[in-house]
Amino acid sequence: MVEQAEGNRVLVITSSRRTGIMYPDRNGTYQCFDQTNTISQFAKFSVAVPSFDRIPELMRMALRECYNGRPGVVHIDIPENIINGSFKDPVNLWDRHQYRLHTNPEPSEAQLNEAVDLLLQAKFPIIHAGSGVIHAQAYDQLEKVADLMQMMVTTSWAGRGVMRESNDLNMPMVHIETNIKIRTEADVVLILGSRVGETDWWGKAPYWNADQKVIQVDIDPSTLGANKPVELAIQADIQKFLLVLFHKLVKQKDQLHLNQRKQKIEPFVQDKNRNRKKLDQKLEDLETPMNPALVAALANKVLPSDTPIVADGGNTTIWANFYSSIEKPGSLFSTFKFGMLGAGVAQALGVAVAGPNKPVVCITGDGAMGFHPQEVETAVRNKLKIIFIVVCDKQWGMVKMSQDFSLRPVKTIVKKSLDESENINSDLGEIQFDKLAESMGAIGARVNDPHEYKLALQAALQADQPTVIHADVDPVKHMWAPGLRYFKNMHAEPKGK
Ligand SMILES: Cc1ncc(C[n+]2csc(CCOP(=O)(O)OP(=O)(O)O)c2C)c(N)n1
Ligand SMILES: [Mg+2]
């Protein structure tokens, strides 16, 4: 379900009981449930194979669907008698070009010209990038167009890190007020691979300008104009679109009023830097247990700047987002759409397998780590260089925060946190994640001050095994994660059109 929601292209193959006793259940079939009916509720395609000879045809059907529009999940269920059977009949396999489109849609000349006109006429055009840019791997093309046109880039949550954040034009989503200012001032928005969903406030005022002109480019036509009205809708591969757009714009370079654009951008960059300084004041807090801001900030500083970051947990994910900067495009991983606790450990395994011999950092909550801790052993067995940092506040921090606020709002504001007896089962006991790690053959370290933590990170970087750092953080400071007010507001419908 998570993969479908995140728009990841996945082929799932399952097995089931033998043909004839399920689909439908004979009423009492052991280990039987209606897998395809269940999965088809959230996947793009789900089918049970009725006989061996239909596997190639149904596989083609699944893959055709998988590559149609937004990437997602397709599922084939192969009953036990077929998956374990032996069959002599020859199987006729087709090449991909024989059964499905194998090139992505491209923009038409007329669409491109219209986009160029709109962007050249605009006073303050911006780009809003979603995870579609990551799926299209259009990082270089995005940065080239943004640089050429001096367009600021805002992103959806899942689109964070589509462009290196040391480029002034990139406005990380953690600078929420500045993002809102940019989105309300822009007269033209080029939306790339984003649904402009709830975490983007549906594209509505007062978070966006309802009268701005929108050019929306997406591989999936059902996304075009779905949430924000568009001036120009283009079904295209983002990379191809940006490539040709760049070549068209370069030819018109003399029409660009770049100085004017730069002047327009300057205050937003200053805003961003001011906000960063304000956020970074927390990094001067060297008390023990640690201020949670230091966890991601020091990891970001000590580890190589292209280290992939996986964020999991409640408030832990927020702190990780606010205190890391993404230099290598596409190197931030999380479950942006579902916030599904526990996914991070497996995501880190996947990222490490995809980029062997390079460190991966997984910053996770102590609650979230409890979902799949045995996967540390998988990392050990497969020699994956993962540094798991478990942020230990001994509580389901985010849940405790919302409980405290709903139960006793005034006391929560005054006292900053309620006692264990004043909320409902949101505290955790002592769990020694360093010892748990050692029991599986990983290196374990336990730290509660920034200096020790830095040393543990440096040691983890040199180590041949995976490391688990149990980082004790101040539970009250941890509850007051930045930006929570906006996160809460986001759940309500914006007032404007
Ligand atoms: C699988 C799953 N179950 C429950 C939730 C609801 N939930 C959101 S945040 C949170 C608390 C997370 O605690 P922890 O991992 O320790 O992170 P912290 O908030 O303390 O940083 C819970 C239970 C969820 N997002 N995913
Ligand atoms: Mg916690």
Side-chain angles (χ1 to χ4, degrees), residues 30-43:
Y30 178 59
Q31 292 186 330
C32 155
F33 83 98
D34 195 345
Q35 290 173 189
T36 51
N37 218 354
T38 308
I39 294 175
S40 61
Q41 299 302 307
F42 51 81

Side-chain angles (χ1 to χ4, degrees), residues 368-439:
M369 189 61 175
F371 281 75
H372 307 292
Q374 79 277 23
E375 297 304 333
V376 170
E377 188 277 331
T378 309
V380 171
R381 192 162 19 93
N382 290 282
K383 299 187 172 48
L384 302 176
K385 202 173 170 66
I386 305 174
I387 305 168
F388 297 98
I389 304 168
V390 189
V391 178
C392 295
D393 60 342
K394 292 193 187 168
Q395 58 197 6
W396 299 94
M398 184 182 265
V399 166
K400 186 168 173 174
M401 183 61 160
S402 38
Q403 270 193 21
D404 284 7
F405 255 111
S406 344
L407 295 169
R408 291 180 181 79
V410 178
K411 194 169 175 189
T412 302
I413 289 174
V414 176
K415 275 196 67 188
K416 294 275 188 190
S417 169
L418 302 182
D419 293 339
E420 188 170 350
S421 58
E422 291 174 297
N423 52 55
I424 311 154
N425 293 331
S426 53
D427 284 282
L428 291 166
E430 165 82 356
I431 306 164
Q432 298 175 328
F433 288 102
D434 51 330
K435 296 277 186 292
L436 195 61
E438 284 169 1
S439 77

Side-chain angles (χ1 to χ4, degrees), residues 185-321:
E185 280 205 30
D187 54 349
V188 171
V189 187
L190 172 59
I191 298 176
L192 302 171
S194 168
R195 294 182 289 190
V196 203
E198 189 170 12
T199 56
D200 283 329
W201 319 90
W202 306 108
K204 289 172 73 173
Y207 305 98
W208 295 75
N209 181 335
D211 300 321
Q212 62 205 166
K213 288 183 179 160
V214 172
I215 307 166
Q216 188 173 13
V217 187
D218 209 286
I219 192 124
D220 184 1
S222 69
T223 288
L224 298 170
N227 287 326
K228 193 167 172 58
V230 295
E231 184 83 8
L232 174 61
I234 303 176
Q235 185 200 3
D237 173 80
I238 309 281
Q239 195 182 97
K240 285 185 181 164
F241 170 79
L242 287 172
L243 255 176
V244 273
L245 181 73
F246 179 80
H247 289 300
K248 283 207 173 270
L249 287 168
V250 162
K251 287 187 197 142
Q252 316 243 19
K253 215 171 161 212
D254 46 342
Q255 283 191 49
L256 293 172
H257 306 288
L258 287 183
N259 280 340
Q260 217 172 312
R261 289 261 168 97
K262 281 183 183 150
Q263 274 171 22
K264 183 85 194 147
I265 286 163
E266 194 47 37
F268 299 117
V269 178
Q270 283 173 8
D271 238 32
K272 167 168 72 171
N273 295 339
R274 248 195 316 271
N275 191 40
R276 186 70 263 162
K277 263 203 184 124
K278 204 167 146 211
L279 285 167
D280 286 352
Q281 282 169 4
K282 291 210 171 5
L283 304 180
E284 285 157 26
D285 173 4
L286 302 180
E287 281 177 26
T288 56
M290 274 198 295
N291 188 311
L294 285 154
V295 174
L298 288 180
N300 223 210
K301 206 165 151 191
V302 173
L303 305 176
S305 65
D306 61 350
T307 304
I309 303 171
V310 181
D312 190 2
N315 279 11
T316 297
T317 298
I318 299 183
W319 284 106
N321 256 298

